Amino acid sequence: MTTADSPGQELGSEVGRSFLEELQASIYATGQFDTPRTADLTQAYRDESEEKIFRQNLEILRRQAEAKNTKPTQEAEDHARAAAHEVLYGSVPTQFEQPALYGIVKALAKQAETAISAVLGQQFTQRPVIGTLPTGQVNAMAIRVPGTDEHVIVFESQIFTFCLLFSKAVTLALPFHGLQNDQFSMSTEMSEILDRINNTPEIVRRFYEVVAAYTVDGLPSQAPPYIPPEPWGSVAALFRDLMELFIMTHEFSHVLLEHTGRGKRSASLLGGNEAEVLEWSQQQEVEADALGILLLMGSPTVELDAAMRFVGVSLFFGAMTVVERAVTLLQFGEERQLISTTHPANRERLRMASQAAQACRIVSEQDHRAILQLADAVEGIIETLWERTAPHIIALRERGVRPHRIWTGNSGGDARQRG
Ligand SMILES: [Zn+2]
């Protein structure tokens, strides 16, 4: 940040923005993805959408307040109305960026930057341009703007819906024990968790719906929408935010650690555009995870304890592992680890991530134990839900269903992941 925040500055530099727009234009030109152009929407459609989004936001607020025996404040209602307006009219860095998605990445970038200055006492000399791109990978990635020291960080367009639905299904399995000091208290006992999963068939169904929608249709939004009861709804939203913040701090870490320029060039994505998509080495991934976790743990804008924060990390690696297992089970009839010469297995990354959390000086000994306890519970939930989902995925395969082409597309038939 070499200059103060003048209008437009927070969207990123001109050169970065036009590079992002070129990438988006070339990927949408392939015709594989619908082109999201908010500018093309009619006024009537915008008005209707804005009202609908506001009503949904209000309903969620009402339920959250009800769970605490209160009512939504006027301030919260006004905020919900303003947020709905932003979704249709917020400023965006390129013509292909939707204000709804851009609003999310912008807020994440701001949170991550605040963490960078609080934890490292550092600022970007050149703030990366942030945006979205339909890459078909449960991830985000950093791309260097050719011939410059600038970066673009793109989030897979579907990742926010996927993170939300995945987080909702996993959170539904947590047994809550009411309020304690105005905080929701939950059990991390596996026996209680199993009881809850056994007695609530909806949990496995919701988990299956999001996994199938993403792997078969390529669109998690194809899963039936629902608002979980409280407190599960509020907690799932918190976990989703943490998952996304970790993805952002991880990508920022690649830039901060100056991994750029050392990555391998790849043009297999992005409509064949010669872009420097950086494929990091395993060592670089581990470093970005560790710094990403340090930033997440020290983020001053997150009002949660260390164990809750780490759920964002557990959920992210858990989600990637599940998608990998589901895609390969559909494609090959057996679970495989996706071919990647550069990435350590997701489960291995989770193990190293918890070591990185342990090594964080800002996390106390007591916090370490709490982190591991909750992380084990989340891992246990994901493992159990996957075990019960796998037979349904096999049944799909037996009916001839295969993974959506975004997973197997233009990389020689092998499903891949990168990040
Ligand atoms: Zn990475």
Side-chain angles (χ1 to χ4, degrees):
M1 284 164 276
T2 45
T3 53
D5 282 351
S6 54
Q9 172 73 16
E10 65 167 27
L11 297 175
S13 76
E14 193 59 48
V15 57
R17 281 157 62 184
S18 52
F19 176 67
L20 174 60
E21 195 162 72
E22 268 173 46
L23 286 182
Q24 291 170 328
S26 73
I27 202 159
Y28 287 118
T30 64
Q32 276 197 45
F33 307 95
D34 290 336
T35 312
R37 278 171 49 108
T38 311
D40 297 341
L41 302 175
T42 66
Q43 189 63 44
Y45 182 82
R46 286 183 186 220
D47 289 347
E48 197 186 310
S49 304
E50 189 178 337
E51 188 59 25
K52 203 169 129 193
I53 293 162
F54 170 62
R55 293 279 151 218
Q56 279 170 354
N57 291 350
L58 198 59
E59 173 63 17
I60 291 168
L61 280 179
R62 203 181 54 73
R63 290 189 187 209
Q64 287 171 348
E66 228 166 50
K68 293 184 173 180
N69 288 319
T70 58
K71 280 187 173 157
T73 60
Q74 186 60 47
E75 195 189 350
E77 243 181 76
D78 292 346
H79 189 264
R81 188 172 282 286
H85 187 77
E86 271 292 296
V87 167
L88 276 303
Y89 299 98
S91 56
V92 287
T94 76
Q95 60 170 318
F96 299 106
E97 211 60 67
Q98 295 166 284
L101 294 186
Y102 187 69
I104 300 173
V105 293
K106 187 172 69 175
L108 287 172
K110 201 169 175 183
Q111 257 192 303
E113 281 187 42
T114 307
I116 290 168
S117 74
V119 176
L120 306 175
Q122 215 177 313
Q123 290 185 332
F124 283 120
T125 43
Q126 183 65 59
R127 173 186 288 168
V129 172
I130 319 285
T132 58
L133 202 67
T135 58
Q137 320 202 6
V138 198
N139 223 329
M141 59 184 165
I143 303 169
R144 185 142 69 132
V145 181
T148 73
D149 286 333
E150 297 194 33
H151 293 87
V152 167
I153 293 175
V154 283
F155 282 72
E156 147 66 28
S157 317
Q158 292 295 321
I159 203 168
F160 307 102
T161 311
F162 179 73
C163 287
L164 177 63
L165 293 175
F166 190 84
S167 169
K168 276 185 190 176
V170 173
T171 306
L172 273 178
L174 280 170
F176 283 100
H177 289 166
L179 284 170
Q180 234 174 43
N181 306 327
D182 211 35
Q183 297 269 359
F184 298 115
S185 82
M186 67 188 103
S187 168
T188 51
E189 285 298 323
M190 211 51 216
S191 58
E192 273 189 68
I193 289 169
L194 283 174
D195 277 349
R196 191 172 153 76
I197 293 175
N198 291 335
N199 296 327
T200 323
E202 184 193 357
I203 302 171
V204 174
R205 180 163 57 85
R206 295 300 188 188
F207 189 84
Y208 165 76
E209 282 169 355
V210 59
V211 172
Y214 204 7
T215 55
V216 177
D217 302 319
L219 288 173
S221 53
Q222 294 288 67
Y226 66 106
I227 302 177
E230 285 303 312
W232 290 272
S234 296
V235 176
L238 287 176
F239 286 164
R240 191 266 306 252
D241 293 346
L242 292 166
M243 243 175 131
E244 292 170 355
L245 182 56
F246 174 60
I247 299 172
M248 182 63 90
T249 58
H250 172 101
E251 293 305 324
F252 271 1
S253 296
H254 280 306
V255 177
L256 290 168
L257 293 165
E258 298 179 354
H259 287 163
T260 57
R262 291 191 253 157
K264 206 173 82 188
R265 218 168 241 274
S266 162
S268 63
L269 275 176
L270 317 170
N273 211 6
E274 179 61 25
E276 192 174 354
V277 175
L278 301 165
E279 290 195 55
W280 315 114
S281 69
Q282 299 209 8
Q283 184 55 33
Q284 288 171 330
E285 278 311 317
V286 171
E287 286 170 15
D289 284 343
L291 182 55
I293 286 163
L294 184 70
L295 294 171
L296 179 69
M297 290 296 159
S299 169
T301 52
V302 177
E303 290 172 359
L304 291 167
D305 62 32
M308 291 285 274
R309 289 172 189 232
F310 194 78
V311 173
V313 182
S314 303
L315 278 176
F316 175 60
F317 290 127
M320 295 217 296
T321 306
V322 164
V323 169
E324 180 177 68
R325 292 165 104 178
V327 167
T328 53
L329 190 54
L330 269 178
Q331 193 178 6
F332 308 112
E334 63 179 23
E335 292 174 26
R336 291 187 192 172
Q337 191 189 310
L338 295 181
I339 300 151
S340 170
T341 51
T342 59
H343 273 55
N346 294 320
R347 273 193 272 187
E348 179 64 7
R349 275 176 80 183
L350 177 60
R351 198 184 58 74
M352 289 189 283
S354 62
Q355 284 174 356
Q358 301 233 15
C360 276
R361 278 167 293 117
I362 41 185
V363 174
S364 73
E365 196 58 45
Q366 195 186 348
D367 283 344
H368 290 151
R369 281 193 294 275
I371 286 177
L372 293 181
Q373 200 180 7
L374 189 51
D376 281 347
V378 172
E379 206 184 341
I381 291 172
I382 295 173
E383 195 60 34
T384 305
L385 295 180
W386 169 249
E387 272 168 23
R388 298 187 186 191
T389 296
H392 300 289
I393 300 288
I394 292 169
L396 287 178
R397 179 179 158 83
E398 283 166 356
R399 297 205 324 254
V401 177
R402 293 293 180 271
H404 189 271
R405 63 172 184 271
I406 63 165
W407 303 108
T408 55
N410 48 16
S411 51
D414 291 325
R416 306 183 68 180
Q417 280 183 329
R418 188 184 291 132

